[in-house]
Amino acid sequence: MRSTSQAARAEETGTMAAVVQERYGTEPEAVLRMARLARPALGPGQVRVRVRASSVDRGTWHLMAGLPYAVRPVSGLRAPKLPNPGRNLAGVVEAVAPDVTGFAPGDEVYGTAAAAFAEHAVARHDRIAPKPAGLTFEEAATVPVSALTALQAVRDRARVQRGQEVLITGASGGVGTFAVQIAHALGARITAVASTAKLDAVRALGADEVVDHTREDFLAGARRYDAVVDIAGNRTLRDLRRVLTPRGRLVITGGETAGRWLGGTDRQLRAQALSPFTGQHLGTFISSEHADGLRDLTVLIGAGTLRPVVDRVYPLTEAAAAVRRLLDGGVTGKLALTVAGE
């Protein structure tokens, strides 16, 4: 906690503590550091939020590394456009643009914003929503990107319905833990794939069956699924199609390879190209970040059917360590960053 005099100086100068990245790199310790920056200016349609917490996801690393190169038209061709790769936030509204309605200073919110690894961030008004009352700021900050991806994959793309057989790979990760809970809430029968140490955690989220991918090939049997949500991203399109029913739906949300140009997204591209020529629906999507989805998630959280699994909470000053833990594996659910506050 900073002293009163430090806080007063920050208020006078309009600065804030933030994670800063000036160049791309694959090693978080080499490219992420703490610094003081000017507070972001409030623009039309925006809300400035006093950030209380943020979180780390796989997209954090992609923006930090600038890989695959396909992300650079958005993140910056030669160097990052934004001060840091943070995207998720939960906090308190500080100021609202004149053209924005529905938010006022003091409101607790969560959602997505640019450069959210900082004490203050500006967010578009249509990408934040009231924070779920039953969650801490740290818990709420783990929801937006990962849970929106899971909601759109399971409900909107896989179109999971009650009684269907659903296979979810990568079920113990950030997106996966939300996907299992959402599929369970929709009444599906879920087979979840995870590693040995994470099976009990995934089962507790609502999976009917769990498969240890380190001990058995979860695609080797005769079982067929109405929907496959592939988050792990490490099996071929042919293998995944084989376990689908003739009219089944495959949704690929992950594609992690070492490829610098496509980074594994070639599977997604091939799935979309093949889909019109088969009875199976094969595809992928780019997750949309919007307030409507956040409000849907809030309903599920309020009903007790969805809750973030927080593996560990780091202070903002240890953002690089949080990204490193994500890269090293072993995380169940999400990693949060707490922002101390002025």
Side-chain angles (χ1 to χ4, degrees):
M1 183 67 70
R2 286 181 292 173
S3 69
T4 302
S5 60
Q6 288 176 312
R9 284 196 298 273
E11 187 67 32
E12 290 173 1
T13 59
T15 64
M16 65 176 184
V19 173
V20 173
Q21 175 188 359
E22 289 104 355
R23 61 183 177 86
Y24 288 125
T26 59
E27 304 301 320
E29 302 86 354
V31 296
L32 300 180
R33 64 180 178 86
M34 292 298 299
R36 295 208 66 82
L37 300 178
R39 294 184 188 182
L42 187 64
Q46 292 183 333
V47 175
R48 188 166 66 230
V49 178
R50 175 67 181 87
V51 181
R52 294 287 300 276
S54 186
S55 65
V56 171
D57 55 44
R58 191 70 191 186
T60 305
W61 182 85
H62 287 298
L63 291 175
M64 182 192 81
L67 295 173
Y69 292 138
V71 307
R72 295 202 181 191
V74 175
S75 65
L77 293 179
R78 295 183 178 276
K81 292 180 181 178
L82 299 172
N84 64 68
R87 298 169 64 207
N88 299 273
L89 64 75
V92 180
V93 172
E94 211 175 39
V96 178
D99 61 339
V100 172
T101 60
F103 295 102
D107 290 347
E108 295 183 351
V109 297
Y110 78 135
T112 60
F117 290 171
E119 291 179 331
H120 304 266
V122 290
R124 283 175 39 177
H125 73 281
D126 56 356
R127 292 191 178 183
I128 59 173
K131 182 181 77 68
L135 299 185
T136 66
F137 284 107
E138 288 76 17
E139 289 172 329
T142 67
V143 173
V145 170
S146 293
L148 283 172
T149 301
L151 181 69
Q152 291 163 34
V154 173
R155 184 191 68 181
D156 303 337
R157 301 292 174 164
R159 299 181 185 176
V160 169
Q161 299 177 23
R162 181 170 298 279
Q164 286 189 328
E165 294 280 346
V166 177
L167 175 70
I168 299 175
T169 73
S172 63
V175 175
T177 51
F178 288 117
V180 170
Q181 294 177 80
I182 292 168
H184 179 71
L186 291 171
R189 178 174 174 79
I190 305 159
T191 299
V193 182
S195 60
T196 308
K198 302 175 183 179
L199 296 180
D200 288 342
V202 172
R203 187 181 288 109
L205 296 175
D208 297 281
E209 295 185 30
V210 293
V211 179
D212 184 348
H213 69 78
T214 68
R215 297 184 177 182
E216 59 181 301
D217 183 354
F218 58 92
L219 301 179
R223 191 157 184 185
R224 299 294 179 265
Y225 299 93
D226 299 295
V228 174
V229 179
D230 179 44
I231 302 166
N234 53 15
R235 298 302 295 263
T236 68
L237 181 59
R238 176 179 293 182
D239 285 344
L240 295 170
R241 285 191 63 202
R242 189 181 55 75
V243 299
L244 274 180
T245 61
R247 307 295 293 181
R249 303 179 73 88
L250 168 64
V251 180
I252 301 175
T253 68
E256 298 300 336
T257 73
R260 300 182 72 83
W261 288 98
L262 294 177
T265 57
D266 55 301
R267 270 190 334 144
Q268 285 95 316
L269 296 174
R270 286 187 284 110
Q272 290 180 308
L274 181 62
S275 189
F277 304 101
T278 177
Q280 298 169 329
H281 186 279
L282 315 172
T284 186
F285 68 102
I286 297 175
S287 177
S288 299
E289 300 168 4
H290 51 75
D292 288 343
L294 291 170
R295 285 189 284 267
D296 289 343
L297 293 171
T298 298
V299 171
L300 293 173
I301 293 167
T305 56
L306 185 70
R307 192 164 187 93
V309 176
V310 180
D311 184 279
R312 184 170 173 181
V313 178
Y314 289 81
L316 180 64
T317 54
E318 296 180 19
V323 178
R324 170 58 60 194
R325 178 166 169 77
L326 180 72
L327 295 177
D328 289 345
V331 177
T332 300
K334 298 286 297 179
L335 297 173
L337 297 175
T338 188
V339 184
E342 295 175 354

